[in-house]
Short mmCIF file of all heavy atoms in Angstrom, two decimals:
data_model
loop_
_atom_site.label_atom_id
_atom_site.label_comp_id
_atom_site.label_asym_id
_atom_site.label_seq_id
_atom_site.Cartn_x
_atom_site.Cartn_y
_atom_site.Cartn_z
N ASN A 300 125.12 328.29 193.59
CA ASN A 300 126.23 328.95 194.29
C ASN A 300 126.86 330.07 193.47
O ASN A 300 127.74 330.77 193.96
CB ASN A 300 127.30 327.92 194.65
CG ASN A 300 127.86 327.20 193.44
OD1 ASN A 300 127.11 326.60 192.68
ND2 ASN A 300 129.18 327.24 193.27
N LEU A 301 126.42 330.27 192.22
CA LEU A 301 126.94 331.35 191.39
C LEU A 301 125.95 332.52 191.40
O LEU A 301 124.75 332.31 191.17
CB LEU A 301 127.15 330.87 189.94
CG LEU A 301 128.15 329.72 189.77
CD1 LEU A 301 128.29 329.38 188.29
CD2 LEU A 301 129.51 330.07 190.37
N PRO A 302 126.39 333.74 191.66
CA PRO A 302 125.47 334.88 191.76
C PRO A 302 124.75 335.13 190.43
O PRO A 302 125.37 335.12 189.36
CB PRO A 302 126.40 336.05 192.10
CG PRO A 302 127.76 335.62 191.66
CD PRO A 302 127.81 334.14 191.85
N GLY A 303 123.44 335.32 190.52
CA GLY A 303 122.66 335.63 189.33
C GLY A 303 122.29 334.42 188.49
O GLY A 303 121.66 334.56 187.45
N ILE A 304 122.68 333.21 188.94
CA ILE A 304 122.32 331.99 188.22
C ILE A 304 121.44 331.13 189.12
O ILE A 304 121.81 330.80 190.25
CB ILE A 304 123.58 331.21 187.78
CG1 ILE A 304 124.41 332.06 186.81
CG2 ILE A 304 123.18 329.89 187.11
CD1 ILE A 304 125.63 331.35 186.24
N PHE A 305 120.26 330.81 188.60
CA PHE A 305 119.25 330.05 189.32
C PHE A 305 118.96 328.78 188.53
O PHE A 305 119.44 328.60 187.42
CB PHE A 305 118.01 330.91 189.53
CG PHE A 305 118.32 332.26 190.13
CD1 PHE A 305 118.67 333.33 189.31
CD2 PHE A 305 118.31 332.44 191.50
CE1 PHE A 305 118.99 334.57 189.85
CE2 PHE A 305 118.65 333.67 192.05
CZ PHE A 305 118.98 334.74 191.23
N ALA A 306 118.16 327.87 189.09
CA ALA A 306 117.89 326.61 188.39
C ALA A 306 116.51 326.10 188.77
O ALA A 306 115.95 326.46 189.81
CB ALA A 306 118.96 325.57 188.71
N ALA A 307 115.95 325.24 187.90
CA ALA A 307 114.61 324.70 188.12
C ALA A 307 114.47 323.36 187.42
O ALA A 307 115.19 323.07 186.46
CB ALA A 307 113.55 325.68 187.60
N GLY A 308 113.52 322.54 187.89
CA GLY A 308 113.20 321.30 187.22
C GLY A 308 114.05 320.13 187.66
O GLY A 308 114.60 320.10 188.76
N ASP A 309 114.19 319.14 186.79
CA ASP A 309 114.92 317.92 187.13
C ASP A 309 116.39 318.18 187.44
O ASP A 309 117.05 317.34 188.07
CB ASP A 309 114.83 316.91 185.98
CG ASP A 309 113.48 316.23 185.90
OD1 ASP A 309 112.79 316.17 186.93
OD2 ASP A 309 113.12 315.74 184.81
N PHE A 310 116.92 319.30 187.01
CA PHE A 310 118.33 319.61 187.22
C PHE A 310 118.64 319.95 188.67
O PHE A 310 119.79 319.89 189.09
CB PHE A 310 118.74 320.78 186.31
CG PHE A 310 120.19 321.15 186.37
CD1 PHE A 310 121.19 320.19 186.23
CD2 PHE A 310 120.58 322.47 186.56
CE1 PHE A 310 122.53 320.53 186.28
CE2 PHE A 310 121.92 322.83 186.61
CZ PHE A 310 122.90 321.86 186.47
N VAL A 311 117.64 320.29 189.48
CA VAL A 311 117.91 320.79 190.83
C VAL A 311 117.67 319.73 191.88
O VAL A 311 116.93 318.76 191.70
CB VAL A 311 117.05 322.03 191.17
CG1 VAL A 311 117.23 323.11 190.11
CG2 VAL A 311 115.59 321.68 191.34
N ASP A 312 118.33 319.94 193.03
CA ASP A 312 118.13 319.08 194.17
C ASP A 312 118.11 319.94 195.43
O ASP A 312 119.00 320.76 195.65
CB ASP A 312 119.26 318.04 194.26
CG ASP A 312 118.99 317.01 195.35
OD1 ASP A 312 117.82 316.63 195.53
OD2 ASP A 312 119.96 316.59 196.02
N TYR A 313 117.06 319.79 196.23
CA TYR A 313 116.95 320.44 197.53
C TYR A 313 116.05 319.57 198.39
O TYR A 313 115.43 318.62 197.90
CB TYR A 313 116.43 321.87 197.41
CG TYR A 313 115.11 322.03 196.69
CD1 TYR A 313 113.92 322.11 197.39
CD2 TYR A 313 115.06 322.12 195.30
CE1 TYR A 313 112.70 322.28 196.73
CE2 TYR A 313 113.86 322.28 194.63
CZ TYR A 313 112.68 322.36 195.34
OH TYR A 313 111.49 322.52 194.69
N SER A 314 115.99 319.86 199.68
CA SER A 314 115.42 318.91 200.64
C SER A 314 113.96 318.56 200.35
O SER A 314 113.55 317.42 200.58
CB SER A 314 115.55 319.46 202.06
OG SER A 314 114.85 320.69 202.19
N SER A 315 113.16 319.49 199.85
CA SER A 315 111.74 319.21 199.63
C SER A 315 111.40 319.07 198.15
O SER A 315 110.25 319.23 197.76
CB SER A 315 110.89 320.33 200.24
OG SER A 315 111.26 321.60 199.71
N LYS A 316 112.38 318.73 197.32
CA LYS A 316 112.17 318.61 195.88
C LYS A 316 111.11 317.57 195.55
O LYS A 316 111.12 316.45 196.08
CB LYS A 316 113.50 318.23 195.20
CG LYS A 316 113.38 317.87 193.73
CD LYS A 316 112.94 319.04 192.88
CE LYS A 316 112.85 318.65 191.42
NZ LYS A 316 112.21 319.71 190.61
N VAL A 317 110.15 317.93 194.67
CA VAL A 317 109.11 317.02 194.19
C VAL A 317 109.40 316.71 192.72
O VAL A 317 109.36 317.60 191.87
CB VAL A 317 107.71 317.65 194.32
CG1 VAL A 317 106.64 316.73 193.73
CG2 VAL A 317 107.40 317.96 195.78
N ARG A 318 109.69 315.45 192.42
CA ARG A 318 110.06 315.09 191.06
C ARG A 318 108.84 314.66 190.25
O ARG A 318 108.66 313.49 189.88
CB ARG A 318 111.14 314.01 191.08
CG ARG A 318 112.42 314.53 191.71
CD ARG A 318 113.66 313.78 191.35
NE ARG A 318 114.82 314.44 191.94
CZ ARG A 318 115.46 315.46 191.41
NH1 ARG A 318 115.06 315.94 190.25
NH2 ARG A 318 116.49 316.02 192.02
#
Side-chain angles (χ1 to χ4, degrees):
N300 59 303
L301 300 182
I304 298 184
F305 308 87
D309 284 336
F310 183 51
V311 307
D312 187 37
Y313 55 96
S314 61
S315 56
K316 171 64 179 171
V317 176
R318 296 201 176 276

